[in-house]
Amino acid sequence: MTPVEDHSVDHDVHTDPAALEQLTDAAAQERVEVAPDGSVVGYKARRTLRLRVELARQLRRRRVQLVLGFLVLLPWILWAAFEFGTEATGQRSGGFVDLATSSAPNFVVFVLFAVSSFLLPMIVALFFGDTIASEASWSSLKYLLATPVPRHRLMRQKAITSGLLSLLAITLLPAMSLLVGLIFYGAGEAVSPTGDAIPFDESMLALLFTVIYLAIHVLWVAGLALFLTVSTDAPLGAVGGAVLVAILSQILDQITALEGLRNYLPTHYAFAWSDLISRDIDWSNMAAGAFSAVAYAAFFGLLAARRFRTKDITS
């Protein structure tokens, strides 16, 4: 039998020694400098997640556009309700609802009275509660941190953006209400339910302080929603949790049997701004309300920072 010749093919990989030497020299010359904090030289945390980029991104979101659009339309809806719902307009006595059509300032006061207990806290809860939990629900949070964006900067930039959006909402509503009031009710005096009347120019100053107070008052909602948004991957849970706490606080505030304990509820001073529509302004309730809001906001903010710093990010 004729022996079978071995025709196996040689599969050894042959490389160019000169090319290998060039690659080795290039790798030897490559230097990666590391800063004392462990980061690569040239990396700057402040260049990551810039505020204007995040703000522009949030303004393009449909939920933000719908909320702002609704706040623009709301004064017109309320005017239509007064216009077609009753013929008794321009009253000079009664509650905030009765006085709403007496002048432009009173119309603004009525709108703020109608929304400050529920709508404004809900909007603030939406902006703050959705900010980080939404990133987690989209599974993009871990990629943001791997960019790398430091955790403290991520939470700070998100919180500042949410704060600016909330301030825009709190300012936009009375501004649009004032425009509607000036068109249909004129620049008259602001009349309080107690019968005090202040001139138009003084009422504008009072409304400015009202907006400032409302912006401070809702800080407790912002802090709570921020804590919830870093504690869950469900945006609806964070937003809904903050809104439910606000509702619960308002319910408890109606129970007179609690007596002095009601002063410690975060919503107890929600309408303290109404003291501004007066000749003799009592600042005590607003001061207590501002202190309460800032204290709650600081407490929940510290909890949020601690929770996010130690949280295991998996989404």
Side-chain angles (χ1 to χ4, degrees), residues 73 90 103 117 140 142 163 206 224 226 245 264 307 313:
L73 288 176
S103 66
S117 63
S140 58
K142 58 185 177 183
L224 175 60
L226 187 63
V245 171
Y264 298 97
R307 176 76 178 99
I313 306 297

Side-chain angles (χ1 to χ4, degrees), residues 27 54 64 80 97 100 119 135 140 151 185 205 237 266 284 310:
E54 178 63 18
V64 175
V97 179
L119 182 60
E135 298 285 358
S140 58
R151 293 195 182 201
Y185 305 126
L205 185 61
S284 59
T310 60

Side-chain angles (χ1 to χ4, degrees), residues 78-91 97-101 185:
L78 296 176
W79 164 80
F82 282 113
E83 183 69 16
F84 302 108
T86 180
E87 296 181 358
T89 59
Q91 297 186 45
V97 179
D98 301 317
L99 295 167
T101 58
Y185 305 126

Side-chain angles (χ1 to χ4, degrees), residues 18-309:
L20 284 176
E21 185 176 354
Q22 290 178 358
L23 290 174
T24 303
D25 292 341
Q29 295 174 3
E30 194 172 308
R31 294 285 187 272
V32 178
E33 298 184 15
V34 179
D37 61 355
S39 63
V40 176
V41 172
Y43 165 78
K44 296 186 181 299
R46 66 175 180 272
R47 295 178 180 173
T48 61
L49 199 64
R50 294 181 182 272
L51 185 60
R52 60 179 178 82
V53 175
E54 178 63 18
L55 184 60
R57 175 172 171 263
Q58 293 298 325
L59 286 172
R60 286 194 297 267
R61 293 189 62 183
R62 185 63 55 86
R63 64 153 173 100
V64 175
Q65 295 172 354
L66 289 176
V67 167
L68 297 180
F70 174 74
L71 293 178
V72 171
L73 288 176
L74 182 59
W76 298 94
I77 296 173
L78 296 176
W79 164 80
F82 282 113
E83 183 69 16
F84 302 108
T86 180
E87 296 181 358
T89 59
Q91 297 186 45
R92 301 283 296 180
S93 63
F96 286 123
V97 179
D98 301 317
L99 295 167
T101 58
S102 62
S103 66
N106 274 102
F107 184 71
V108 179
V109 169
F110 161 72
V111 173
L112 294 177
F113 177 77
V115 304
S116 59
S117 63
F118 179 73
L119 182 60
L120 288 184
M122 185 187 70
I123 291 174
V124 173
L126 174 64
F127 288 151
F128 278 86
D130 184 68
T131 180
I132 293 179
S134 62
E135 298 285 358
S137 67
W138 298 332
S139 298
S140 58
L141 182 58
K142 58 185 177 183
Y143 297 109
L144 275 175
L145 295 174
T147 303
V149 181
R151 293 195 182 201
H152 68 277
R153 180 174 177 82
L154 175 64
M155 192 180 80
R156 185 186 67 191
Q157 297 296 86
K158 291 281 189 179
I160 293 175
T161 301
S162 300
L164 291 175
L165 292 175
S166 299
L167 185 60
L168 174 61
I170 295 172
T171 306
L172 179 63
L173 180 59
M176 185 56 61
S177 301
L178 180 61
L179 175 62
V180 174
L182 289 173
I183 293 174
F184 296 106
Y185 305 126
E189 294 179 323
V191 183
S192 72
T194 60
D196 286 343
I198 58 177
F200 179 77
D201 55 344
E202 293 183 15
S203 67
M204 291 298 97
L205 185 61
L207 290 177
L208 174 61
F209 282 116
T210 298
V211 171
I212 294 174
Y213 176 78
L214 288 174
I216 296 174
H217 173 70
V218 295
L219 284 176
W220 79 268
V221 182
L224 175 60
L226 187 63
F227 170 66
L228 294 176
T229 196
V230 301
S231 303
T232 179
D233 294 347
L236 184 60
V239 176
V243 172
L244 286 176
V245 171
I247 294 174
L248 176 61
S249 177
Q250 293 174 32
I251 294 174
L252 293 176
D253 194 38
Q254 301 303 314
I255 302 176
T256 56
L258 292 176
E259 297 181 346
L261 293 177
R262 296 188 300 167
N263 296 336
Y264 298 97
L265 294 173
T267 58
H268 181 69
Y269 298 98
F271 296 104
W273 56 268
S274 61
D275 292 335
L276 291 167
I277 312 300
S278 175
R279 286 287 185 181
D280 186 16
I281 300 177
D282 182 7
W283 296 94
S284 59
N285 286 333
M286 283 180 285
F291 177 79
S292 173
V294 172
Y296 275 112
F299 174 72
F300 288 123
L302 290 174
L303 286 181
R306 183 178 182 276
R307 176 76 178 99
F308 194 56
R309 186 176 65 250

